Amino acid sequence: DQQVKQNSPSLSVQEGRISILNCDYTNSMFDYFLWYKKYPAEGPTFLISISSIKDKNEDGRFTVFLNKSAKHLSLHIVPSQPGDSAVYFCVGGGADGLTFGKGTHLIIQP
Amino acid sequence: DTEVTQTPKHLVMGMTNKKSLKCEQHMGHRAMYWYKQKAKKPPELMFVYSYEKLSINESVPSRFSPECPNSSLLNLHLHALQPEDSALYLCASSQDWTPYEQYFGPGTRLTVT
């Protein structure tokens, strides 16, 4: 049973435009959500998090939106830059630790 | 310093070998983790140490043996591995068990021949 679902294995966005990565979850017990970014041959890097009691958190070019009623969250990257090309993991956090989605490969086109 | 270091970066071992993976952090974090990641899959949790005590073992085979010598170090001892154990092994740490973000090391790429 996949508790965190990222239904788009890949996403291609033009440099300078907005990247929107989507994530759905089924576990209502998650206390918080995180986004991690991963380059090949490196460990995941923490990007941004949001508590389950919030609906938005912003940090520079990155904004995460949480819609609890829809069990949906999204990561917005504005403007997208070439260095943003990576795999992005949506992660649910709770008493059982972190649960990773399968990841979305974001490709920023010049 | 938000760095988690792991050694070695790459390891090739035979099925009869004994080897160890090492992880170190100097952020004062009290929780440390081992994950296994296969190609094109998300990281899978193996072990959690909280305050130097093993608190979670996700039904990992005994050929993987974790050790936490002190609050900054985490080892993973490997013995009699199988080729299907070949993967990227990631170490992570966090301020405490939950609900804190985890910081990952670069991983050790393990190949079992």
Side-chain angles (χ1 to χ4, degrees):
Chain A
D1 174 34
Q2 240 184 300
Q3 298 183 47
V4 178
K5 300 176 188 178
Q6 293 178 259
N7 292 320
S8 299
S10 67
L11 174 68
S12 186
V13 174
Q14 203 167 8
E15 182 180 354
R17 307 292 286 264
I18 182 171
S19 295
I20 300 176
L21 295 97
N22 292 304
C23 176
D24 297 296
Y25 64 94
T26 57
N27 187 345
S28 302
M29 302 302 289
F30 287 136
D31 298 315
Y32 57 107
F33 300 89
L34 313 94
W35 285 92
Y36 281 84
K37 171 181 176 180
K38 187 177 186 302
Y39 294 118
E42 293 185 13
T45 302
F46 169 71
L47 264 182
I48 190 168
S49 64
I50 186 167
S51 165
S52 61
I53 62 172
K54 305 269 189 185
D55 56 20
K56 178 182 174 182
N57 187 26
E58 190 173 351
D59 184 2
R61 296 187 299 116
F62 303 93
T63 303
V64 57
F65 296 92
L66 175 62
N67 181 334
K68 276 192 81 171
S69 61
K71 293 193 174 133
H72 177 83
L73 62 154
S74 60
L75 174 69
H76 293 213
I77 306 173
V78 181
S80 300
Q81 298 175 354
D84 296 330
S85 294
V87 175
Y88 288 78
F89 289 103
C90 174
V91 183
D96 295 330
L98 301 185
T99 302
F100 283 74
K102 290 190 173 182
T104 295
H105 185 193
L106 176 65
I107 302 161
I108 305 302
Q109 307 273 12
Chain B
D1 179 12
T2 57
E3 193 179 22
V4 176
T5 59
Q6 289 186 246
T7 56
K9 285 195 168 176
H10 301 275
L11 179 62
V12 179
M13 62 185 289
M15 289 189 284
T16 58
N17 290 158
K18 281 187 182 180
K19 296 284 185 185
S20 297
L21 309 185
K22 296 186 185 304
C23 173
E24 192 167 0
Q25 59 88 12
H26 294 288
M27 295 178 276
H29 288 174
R30 304 315 303 235
M32 296 185 76
Y33 313 79
W34 282 113
Y35 287 83
K36 173 181 177 179
Q37 186 177 22
K38 302 281 269 185
K40 299 193 187 303
K41 299 278 188 183
E44 295 176 5
L45 182 65
M46 299 174 73
F47 302 104
V48 180
Y49 272 82
S50 180
Y51 289 84
E52 299 164 49
K53 291 195 183 335
L54 182 64
S55 59
I56 291 182
N57 175 341
E58 291 285 356
S59 304
V60 179
S62 59
R63 56 186 185 269
F64 295 91
S65 175
E67 178 199 15
C68 188
N70 60 54
S71 59
S72 301
L73 292 173
L74 186 65
N75 298 323
L76 186 62
H77 303 297
L78 315 172
H79 174 54
L81 295 194
Q82 304 296 312
E84 58 265 30
D85 296 323
S86 299
L88 181 69
Y89 287 84
L90 294 162
C91 174
S93 71
S94 61
Q95 184 176 334
D96 208 325
W97 161 224
T98 188
Y100 301 95
E101 62 267 20
Q102 295 177 20
Y103 293 87
F104 285 81
T108 293
R109 174 70 60 190
L110 174 67
T111 303
V112 182
T113 61

